Short mmCIF file of all heavy atoms in Angstrom, two decimals:
data_model
loop_
_atom_site.label_atom_id
_atom_site.label_comp_id
_atom_site.label_asym_id
_atom_site.label_seq_id
_atom_site.Cartn_x
_atom_site.Cartn_y
_atom_site.Cartn_z
N LYS A 3 77.73 135.11 62.18
CA LYS A 3 78.67 136.18 62.51
C LYS A 3 77.94 137.15 63.44
O LYS A 3 76.72 137.27 63.38
CB LYS A 3 79.11 136.94 61.26
CG LYS A 3 80.04 136.17 60.36
CD LYS A 3 80.50 137.04 59.22
CE LYS A 3 81.49 136.28 58.35
NZ LYS A 3 82.05 137.16 57.31
N ARG A 4 78.71 137.85 64.27
CA ARG A 4 78.11 138.78 65.22
C ARG A 4 78.92 140.07 65.27
O ARG A 4 80.15 140.05 65.20
CB ARG A 4 78.07 138.14 66.60
CG ARG A 4 77.51 139.04 67.68
CD ARG A 4 77.44 138.30 68.99
NE ARG A 4 77.26 139.23 70.10
CZ ARG A 4 76.58 138.97 71.19
NH1 ARG A 4 76.03 137.79 71.35
NH2 ARG A 4 76.48 139.85 72.15
N ARG A 5 78.19 141.18 65.40
CA ARG A 5 78.81 142.49 65.56
C ARG A 5 78.19 143.12 66.80
O ARG A 5 76.98 143.20 66.94
CB ARG A 5 78.51 143.36 64.34
CG ARG A 5 79.07 144.75 64.43
CD ARG A 5 78.61 145.69 63.33
NE ARG A 5 78.23 145.10 62.09
CZ ARG A 5 78.95 145.12 60.96
NH1 ARG A 5 80.13 145.71 60.95
NH2 ARG A 5 78.50 144.58 59.86
N ASP A 6 79.04 143.54 67.75
CA ASP A 6 78.59 144.15 69.00
C ASP A 6 78.71 145.66 68.92
O ASP A 6 79.52 146.20 68.17
CB ASP A 6 79.43 143.66 70.18
CG ASP A 6 79.26 142.18 70.43
OD1 ASP A 6 78.11 141.71 70.40
OD2 ASP A 6 80.27 141.49 70.65
N CYS A 7 77.96 146.35 69.76
CA CYS A 7 78.13 147.78 69.96
C CYS A 7 79.14 147.97 71.09
O CYS A 7 79.01 147.35 72.15
CB CYS A 7 76.81 148.46 70.32
SG CYS A 7 77.00 150.22 70.70
N ALA A 8 80.12 148.82 70.86
CA ALA A 8 81.15 149.05 71.87
C ALA A 8 80.65 149.89 73.03
O ALA A 8 81.29 149.96 74.08
CB ALA A 8 82.36 149.73 71.22
N SER A 9 79.46 150.51 72.88
CA SER A 9 78.95 151.42 73.90
C SER A 9 77.81 150.87 74.74
O SER A 9 77.50 151.42 75.79
CB SER A 9 78.47 152.72 73.24
OG SER A 9 79.51 153.33 72.52
N CYS A 10 77.17 149.83 74.24
CA CYS A 10 76.01 149.28 74.98
C CYS A 10 75.91 147.78 74.72
O CYS A 10 76.79 147.18 74.13
CB CYS A 10 74.73 150.01 74.59
SG CYS A 10 74.15 149.69 72.92
N ASP A 11 74.80 147.17 75.11
CA ASP A 11 74.61 145.73 74.96
C ASP A 11 74.00 145.33 73.62
O ASP A 11 73.71 144.17 73.39
CB ASP A 11 73.72 145.20 76.09
CG ASP A 11 74.40 145.26 77.45
OD1 ASP A 11 75.65 145.23 77.48
OD2 ASP A 11 73.68 145.32 78.47
N HIS A 12 73.81 146.30 72.73
CA HIS A 12 73.20 146.01 71.43
C HIS A 12 74.16 145.17 70.58
O HIS A 12 75.37 145.34 70.62
CB HIS A 12 72.88 147.32 70.69
CG HIS A 12 72.34 147.10 69.32
ND1 HIS A 12 71.04 146.75 69.08
CD2 HIS A 12 72.94 147.16 68.11
CE1 HIS A 12 70.85 146.61 67.78
NE2 HIS A 12 72.00 146.86 67.16
N TYR A 13 73.61 144.24 69.82
CA TYR A 13 74.40 143.46 68.86
C TYR A 13 73.51 143.05 67.71
O TYR A 13 72.28 143.10 67.80
CB TYR A 13 75.04 142.23 69.51
CG TYR A 13 74.05 141.19 69.97
CD1 TYR A 13 73.66 140.17 69.12
CD2 TYR A 13 73.50 141.22 71.25
CE1 TYR A 13 72.75 139.20 69.53
CE2 TYR A 13 72.60 140.27 71.67
CZ TYR A 13 72.22 139.25 70.81
OH TYR A 13 71.32 138.32 71.22
N GLU A 14 74.14 142.68 66.61
CA GLU A 14 73.40 142.13 65.47
C GLU A 14 74.12 140.88 65.00
O GLU A 14 75.33 140.74 65.20
CB GLU A 14 73.29 143.15 64.33
CG GLU A 14 74.59 143.46 63.64
CD GLU A 14 74.44 144.46 62.50
OE1 GLU A 14 73.57 145.35 62.59
OE2 GLU A 14 75.19 144.33 61.53
N THR A 15 73.37 139.98 64.42
CA THR A 15 73.95 138.75 63.89
C THR A 15 73.66 138.65 62.41
O THR A 15 72.68 139.22 61.91
CB THR A 15 73.41 137.50 64.61
OG1 THR A 15 71.99 137.45 64.45
CG2 THR A 15 73.77 137.50 66.08
N GLN A 16 74.52 137.95 61.71
CA GLN A 16 74.34 137.65 60.29
C GLN A 16 74.56 136.16 60.08
O GLN A 16 75.43 135.57 60.71
CB GLN A 16 75.32 138.44 59.42
CG GLN A 16 75.09 139.92 59.41
CD GLN A 16 76.08 140.63 58.50
OE1 GLN A 16 76.94 140.03 57.88
NE2 GLN A 16 75.96 141.95 58.44
N SER A 17 73.75 135.62 59.19
CA SER A 17 73.88 134.20 58.88
C SER A 17 74.94 133.99 57.80
O SER A 17 75.09 134.80 56.89
CB SER A 17 72.53 133.67 58.38
OG SER A 17 72.61 132.29 58.10
N ILE A 18 75.71 132.91 57.94
CA ILE A 18 76.66 132.47 56.92
C ILE A 18 76.05 131.23 56.28
O ILE A 18 75.78 130.24 56.96
CB ILE A 18 78.02 132.11 57.53
CG1 ILE A 18 78.58 133.26 58.36
CG2 ILE A 18 79.01 131.71 56.44
CD1 ILE A 18 79.77 132.87 59.23
N THR A 19 75.81 131.28 54.99
CA THR A 19 75.14 130.19 54.30
C THR A 19 75.98 128.91 54.30
O THR A 19 77.20 128.96 54.10
CB THR A 19 74.85 130.60 52.84
OG1 THR A 19 74.08 131.79 52.86
CG2 THR A 19 74.08 129.52 52.10
N ALA A 20 75.31 127.78 54.54
CA ALA A 20 75.98 126.48 54.49
C ALA A 20 76.69 126.32 53.15
O ALA A 20 76.20 126.78 52.12
CB ALA A 20 74.97 125.36 54.71
N THR A 21 77.84 125.69 53.16
CA THR A 21 78.69 125.60 51.97
C THR A 21 78.24 124.53 50.98
O THR A 21 78.57 124.61 49.81
CB THR A 21 80.14 125.31 52.36
OG1 THR A 21 80.19 124.07 53.07
CG2 THR A 21 80.71 126.42 53.21
N GLY A 22 77.51 123.52 51.44
CA GLY A 22 77.16 122.39 50.57
C GLY A 22 78.33 121.44 50.48
O GLY A 22 79.48 121.82 50.72
N HIS A 23 78.05 120.20 50.15
CA HIS A 23 79.11 119.19 50.06
C HIS A 23 80.00 119.45 48.85
O HIS A 23 79.54 119.94 47.82
CB HIS A 23 78.51 117.79 49.96
CG HIS A 23 77.82 117.34 51.20
ND1 HIS A 23 78.48 117.12 52.39
CD2 HIS A 23 76.52 117.08 51.46
CE1 HIS A 23 77.62 116.73 53.32
NE2 HIS A 23 76.43 116.70 52.78
N SER A 24 81.25 119.10 48.98
CA SER A 24 82.23 119.18 47.89
C SER A 24 82.91 117.82 47.83
O SER A 24 83.81 117.52 48.62
CB SER A 24 83.25 120.28 48.18
OG SER A 24 84.21 120.33 47.16
N TYR A 25 82.45 116.98 46.91
CA TYR A 25 82.90 115.60 46.86
C TYR A 25 84.14 115.42 45.98
O TYR A 25 84.28 116.06 44.94
CB TYR A 25 81.79 114.69 46.32
CG TYR A 25 80.62 114.57 47.26
CD1 TYR A 25 79.46 115.28 47.06
CD2 TYR A 25 80.69 113.72 48.36
CE1 TYR A 25 78.38 115.17 47.92
CE2 TYR A 25 79.62 113.60 49.23
CZ TYR A 25 78.48 114.32 49.00
OH TYR A 25 77.41 114.20 49.85
N LYS A 26 85.02 114.52 46.43
CA LYS A 26 86.19 114.10 45.65
C LYS A 26 85.96 112.63 45.28
O LYS A 26 85.59 111.83 46.14
CB LYS A 26 87.46 114.25 46.48
CG LYS A 26 88.71 113.77 45.77
CD LYS A 26 89.93 113.90 46.67
CE LYS A 26 91.14 113.29 45.97
NZ LYS A 26 92.30 113.26 46.86
N ALA A 27 86.19 112.29 44.02
CA ALA A 27 85.96 110.93 43.54
C ALA A 27 87.21 110.08 43.67
O ALA A 27 88.31 110.53 43.33
CB ALA A 27 85.50 110.95 42.09
N THR A 28 87.03 108.86 44.18
CA THR A 28 88.10 107.87 44.22
C THR A 28 87.61 106.63 43.49
O THR A 28 86.59 106.04 43.88
CB THR A 28 88.46 107.51 45.68
OG1 THR A 28 88.82 108.70 46.38
CG2 THR A 28 89.61 106.52 45.73
N ILE A 29 88.31 106.26 42.42
CA ILE A 29 87.87 105.15 41.58
C ILE A 29 88.56 103.86 42.01
O ILE A 29 89.78 103.83 42.19
CB ILE A 29 88.18 105.44 40.10
CG1 ILE A 29 87.41 106.68 39.65
CG2 ILE A 29 87.86 104.23 39.23
CD1 ILE A 29 87.81 107.18 38.28
N THR A 30 87.76 102.83 42.20
CA THR A 30 88.28 101.49 42.45
C THR A 30 87.97 100.68 41.19
O THR A 30 86.79 100.48 40.85
CB THR A 30 87.60 100.85 43.68
OG1 THR A 30 87.86 101.68 44.81
CG2 THR A 30 88.13 99.45 43.93
N LYS A 31 89.01 100.26 40.48
CA LYS A 31 88.84 99.55 39.21
C LYS A 31 88.40 98.12 39.45
O LYS A 31 88.76 97.51 40.46
CB LYS A 31 90.14 99.58 38.41
CG LYS A 31 90.52 100.98 37.97
CD LYS A 31 91.78 100.96 37.14
CE LYS A 31 92.11 102.38 36.70
NZ LYS A 31 93.25 102.40 35.79
N PRO A 32 87.62 97.58 38.52
CA PRO A 32 87.19 96.19 38.66
C PRO A 32 88.37 95.24 38.45
O PRO A 32 89.36 95.57 37.79
CB PRO A 32 86.15 96.02 37.56
CG PRO A 32 86.51 97.04 36.53
CD PRO A 32 87.10 98.20 37.29
N THR A 33 88.25 94.06 39.05
CA THR A 33 89.22 92.99 38.83
C THR A 33 88.46 91.80 38.27
O THR A 33 87.26 91.89 37.99
CB THR A 33 89.92 92.58 40.14
OG1 THR A 33 88.95 91.95 41.01
CG2 THR A 33 90.54 93.78 40.83
N CYS A 34 89.14 90.67 38.17
CA CYS A 34 88.43 89.49 37.66
C CYS A 34 87.49 88.90 38.70
O CYS A 34 86.66 88.06 38.38
CB CYS A 34 89.41 88.44 37.14
SG CYS A 34 90.79 88.09 38.20
N THR A 35 87.57 89.32 39.96
CA THR A 35 86.69 88.76 40.99
C THR A 35 85.84 89.80 41.72
O THR A 35 84.94 89.44 42.46
CB THR A 35 87.53 88.01 42.05
OG1 THR A 35 88.48 88.91 42.61
CG2 THR A 35 88.24 86.81 41.44
N THR A 36 86.13 91.10 41.55
CA THR A 36 85.35 92.13 42.25
C THR A 36 84.93 93.23 41.28
O THR A 36 85.66 93.57 40.34
CB THR A 36 86.15 92.78 43.40
OG1 THR A 36 87.33 93.39 42.87
CG2 THR A 36 86.54 91.75 44.45
N GLU A 37 83.75 93.78 41.53
CA GLU A 37 83.27 94.87 40.69
C GLU A 37 84.02 96.16 41.01
O GLU A 37 84.59 96.31 42.08
CB GLU A 37 81.76 95.06 40.87
CG GLU A 37 81.36 95.60 42.22
CD GLU A 37 79.84 95.72 42.37
OE1 GLU A 37 79.09 95.37 41.46
OE2 GLU A 37 79.42 96.20 43.43
N GLY A 38 84.01 97.07 40.07
CA GLY A 38 84.60 98.38 40.29
C GLY A 38 83.52 99.36 40.74
O GLY A 38 82.33 99.12 40.58
N TYR A 39 83.95 100.48 41.27
CA TYR A 39 83.01 101.49 41.74
C TYR A 39 83.75 102.80 42.00
O TYR A 39 84.98 102.83 42.03
CB TYR A 39 82.28 101.04 43.01
CG TYR A 39 83.23 100.63 44.12
CD1 TYR A 39 83.68 101.56 45.05
CD2 TYR A 39 83.68 99.32 44.22
CE1 TYR A 39 84.56 101.19 46.06
CE2 TYR A 39 84.55 98.94 45.22
CZ TYR A 39 84.99 99.88 46.14
OH TYR A 39 85.87 99.51 47.13
N THR A 40 83.00 103.86 42.18
CA THR A 40 83.58 105.15 42.54
C THR A 40 83.03 105.55 43.90
O THR A 40 81.81 105.50 44.11
CB THR A 40 83.24 106.22 41.50
OG1 THR A 40 83.71 105.79 40.22
CG2 THR A 40 83.88 107.56 41.84
N THR A 41 83.93 105.93 44.81
CA THR A 41 83.53 106.44 46.12
C THR A 41 83.67 107.96 46.09
O THR A 41 84.73 108.47 45.74
CB THR A 41 84.41 105.86 47.24
OG1 THR A 41 84.35 104.44 47.19
CG2 THR A 41 83.97 106.35 48.61
N TYR A 42 82.59 108.64 46.41
CA TYR A 42 82.59 110.10 46.47
C TYR A 42 82.63 110.51 47.94
O TYR A 42 81.74 110.13 48.71
CB TYR A 42 81.34 110.67 45.79
CG TYR A 42 81.30 110.37 44.31
CD1 TYR A 42 80.72 109.22 43.82
CD2 TYR A 42 81.89 111.26 43.41
CE1 TYR A 42 80.69 108.96 42.45
CE2 TYR A 42 81.87 111.00 42.05
CZ TYR A 42 81.26 109.85 41.59
OH TYR A 42 81.24 109.59 40.23
N THR A 43 83.66 111.26 48.35
CA THR A 43 83.85 111.62 49.75
C THR A 43 84.00 113.13 49.89
O THR A 43 84.78 113.76 49.17
CB THR A 43 85.11 110.93 50.31
OG1 THR A 43 85.02 109.53 50.07
CG2 THR A 43 85.25 111.19 51.81
N CYS A 44 83.27 113.70 50.84
CA CYS A 44 83.35 115.12 51.16
C CYS A 44 84.34 115.31 52.31
O CYS A 44 84.54 114.40 53.12
CB CYS A 44 81.98 115.65 51.57
SG CYS A 44 81.97 117.43 51.96
N HIS A 45 84.93 116.49 52.42
CA HIS A 45 85.87 116.78 53.51
C HIS A 45 85.24 116.66 54.89
O HIS A 45 85.93 116.47 55.88
CB HIS A 45 86.49 118.17 53.34
CG HIS A 45 85.49 119.28 53.36
ND1 HIS A 45 85.08 119.88 54.51
CD2 HIS A 45 84.82 119.87 52.36
CE1 HIS A 45 84.19 120.81 54.22
NE2 HIS A 45 84.02 120.82 52.93
N CYS A 46 83.90 116.70 54.96
CA CYS A 46 83.22 116.56 56.25
C CYS A 46 83.05 115.10 56.67
O CYS A 46 82.63 114.81 57.78
CB CYS A 46 81.86 117.24 56.21
SG CYS A 46 80.60 116.35 55.26
N GLY A 47 83.37 114.17 55.75
CA GLY A 47 83.25 112.75 56.07
C GLY A 47 82.08 112.07 55.39
O GLY A 47 82.01 110.84 55.35
N ASP A 48 81.13 112.83 54.86
CA ASP A 48 80.00 112.24 54.15
C ASP A 48 80.51 111.57 52.88
O ASP A 48 81.40 112.10 52.20
CB ASP A 48 78.98 113.33 53.79
CG ASP A 48 77.73 112.74 53.18
OD1 ASP A 48 77.05 111.96 53.86
OD2 ASP A 48 77.43 113.07 52.00
N SER A 49 80.00 110.40 52.55
CA SER A 49 80.43 109.72 51.33
C SER A 49 79.32 108.81 50.81
O SER A 49 78.38 108.48 51.52
CB SER A 49 81.70 108.91 51.59
OG SER A 49 81.43 107.83 52.45
#
Protein backbone atom coordinates (compact mmCIF):
# COMPACT_ATOMS: atom_id res chain seq x y z
CA LYS A 1 0.00 0.00 0.00
CA ARG A 2 1.19 3.56 -0.61
CA ARG A 3 0.33 6.95 0.83
CA ASP A 4 1.52 10.12 -0.96
CA CYS A 5 1.95 13.66 0.32
CA ALA A 6 -0.38 16.04 -1.50
CA SER A 7 2.15 18.88 -1.17
CA CYS A 8 5.45 17.31 -2.20
CA ASP A 9 7.07 14.14 -3.59
CA HIS A 10 7.23 12.41 -0.19
CA TYR A 11 5.47 9.03 0.13
CA GLU A 12 5.42 6.05 2.44
CA THR A 13 4.67 2.42 1.75
CA GLN A 14 3.24 -0.34 3.91
CA SER A 15 3.50 -4.06 3.37
CA ILE A 16 0.39 -6.25 3.14
CA THR A 17 1.16 -9.70 4.51
CA ALA A 18 0.74 -12.66 2.15
CA THR A 19 -2.55 -14.44 2.83
CA GLY A 20 -1.30 -18.04 2.75
CA HIS A 21 -3.03 -20.83 0.86
CA SER A 22 -6.68 -21.64 1.57
CA TYR A 23 -7.35 -25.15 0.31
CA LYS A 24 -10.71 -26.71 -0.56
CA ALA A 25 -10.91 -30.51 -0.47
CA THR A 26 -12.45 -32.54 -3.29
CA ILE A 27 -12.86 -36.24 -2.53
CA THR A 28 -12.66 -38.87 -5.26
CA LYS A 29 -14.08 -42.12 -3.88
CA PRO A 30 -12.42 -45.43 -4.68
CA THR A 31 -14.01 -47.86 -7.12
CA CYS A 32 -13.35 -51.52 -7.77
CA THR A 33 -10.57 -50.59 -10.23
CA THR A 34 -9.18 -47.21 -9.04
CA GLU A 35 -7.96 -45.91 -5.72
CA GLY A 36 -9.63 -43.00 -4.00
CA TYR A 37 -7.93 -39.77 -3.02
CA THR A 38 -8.51 -36.19 -1.93
CA THR A 39 -7.41 -33.25 -4.07
CA TYR A 40 -6.72 -30.05 -2.14
CA THR A 41 -6.97 -26.93 -4.35
CA CYS A 42 -6.33 -23.28 -3.48
CA HIS A 43 -8.08 -20.39 -5.28
CA CYS A 44 -4.67 -19.44 -6.72
CA GLY A 45 -4.44 -22.76 -8.57
CA ASP A 46 -1.96 -24.52 -6.27
CA SER A 47 -3.07 -28.08 -5.50
